[in-house]
Each structure stands twice: as C-alpha cells, then as structure tokens.
Amino acid sequence: MRLREYADNIPKPMVEIGYRPILWHVMKYYAHYGHKDFILCLGYRGDVIKNYFLNYSECISNDFVLSKGSRNPKLLHRDIDDWTITFADTGLNSNIGQRMLAVGKYLEGEDFFLANYADGLTDLHLPSMIDHFMARDKTAIFAAVKPRHSFHVVSLKNGDQVDDIQHLTHSCIWINGGFFAFKKEIFEYFENGEELVEEPFRRLIEKGELISYKHDGFWASMDTFKDKQQLAELYQKGNAPWQVWNSTR
C-alpha cells in the first residue's frame, strides 16, 4: 500500500531498480555467494513473478554479440542459467510464518536454509554471517542493522521529562534487517497461523536459540515510494553498494 504511488498492479518484489526488479537484485546477491537454489513464496500477483522469469531475457543485463541480424545473440556473460527456482503458491493473504510452513516440504534434506523478505538490499558479507551462525550452533540468526530513517530517538524520565535525544542512526537501536538463516528445526517452533517474528521468535528467545549478526555497512529496505527513489538514484549514479557481484569481495 505504501508503494501505490509507484505501482498498483504488481507485487512489491517486482518494483524495479534500474531495469531489474528488486527481487532480481536480492537473488543476484545470494547467487554471488554461491546460493543459487531459490524458492519463491508467491502471493499477490504471483503470476507477474512467474511470467517475468518465464520470459526472462539475459540480454538485458549482459553483454552479447549480434551478428548479421541474427535472432540468436551470442551471450558473453550469463545471469540465471545456473539458478534453480521453485515457484510456490503460498496463499494470497498468508503471513510470513505461514509461507515458510507452506514451503517446508521443498526443504527436505537441507540442514539449514536462508530466507529473505525480498524488499531489502545490503552489502553484508553473507559468508561471514553464515560462519557465525554455524560457530554458534543455534537454530536461527538474522542480520541486525541500523535503521536509515531520519528520526530522533527520545529518552524520557519522570513521565514526560526529556532525558536524551539523538539521531536514530547514532542510537543503540538495532533492527531486524530481513536476512535470515535457519536450521530445519525452526519449523518445530511454529504453530498454524503464527507470524515468524512473533510467537516462533519468542519461543526461540526463551530457549536461547535466536542470535543476530550485527552489520554496520549498507542496508536499505524499500517500504515507500521515497525509498524506491533513493535506491534508484544510487543505482543511476553507479553507487549501488548492494551490487557485491560487481566487486572483488
């Protein structure tokens, strides 16, 4: 709803940054680190996402050679030819917890898996977070990030007296960045209808099975039209920190 100024008939993950939807940017990020087996939990306008990949043109984001007017260009680089994508209908009005439960059957044989809200971008070094997760041997981890919004945090005492005020990014507040890793045991903490970060996370906290990985680098979510414009501006200026596949890192 907060992006209706931009588009009213496409799912949020299909809102474009440059000439590719944010979903592509998120998937490209994971693929850069070797994670190329995807499960897309589809809901509102899932048909748009299906059709996008069914009609995907690698020529849009890769160099290619066209000889003598040929209809079969020779690609010099490839995008998604080594990706495996499962398209799963997880319900029009399902919450994130319900969507995860719906695709659990596609995760058989996996000791752990990664998950993402598909509306945020980061330059987080993913292998470092996974290494931390494995070393701590817990059930769940998420990237903790600093919020980007230009609000000020206020501390109060005696009811209404201001004790302190500081910019949100300079405060001690960390938020859930939407980049997760879970062991398969995560499903034992769910009951039908529950939202991921509500009841299941509470149960994990009680048992000491939920940890975070602090990331001080770039992170941004696309919640509003303004957020979309800011990300598009970074992309247009050639300063898109989330495009780790263009670096040597």
Side-chain angles (χ1 to χ4, degrees), residues 88-99:
D89 182 1
T90 54
L92 187 61
N93 299 307
S94 301
N95 61 37
I96 293 169
Q98 291 172 304
R99 296 187 192 284

Side-chain angles (χ1 to χ4, degrees), residues 150-163:
S150 56
F151 299 116
H152 287 80
V153 178
V154 179
S155 298
L156 301 175
K157 63 181 180 179
N158 301 326
D160 62 356
Q161 185 175 342
V162 176
D163 184 49

Side-chain angles (χ1 to χ4, degrees), residues 122 124 129 141-147 173-179 211-217 219:
T122 185
L124 166 72
M129 188 179 88
I141 189 173
F142 64 85
V145 299
K146 287 287 190 178
I173 293 177
W174 295 82
I175 65 172
N176 166 19
F179 285 73
I211 59 175
S212 67
Y213 183 80
K214 290 183 177 180
H215 176 58
D216 280 313
W219 175 87

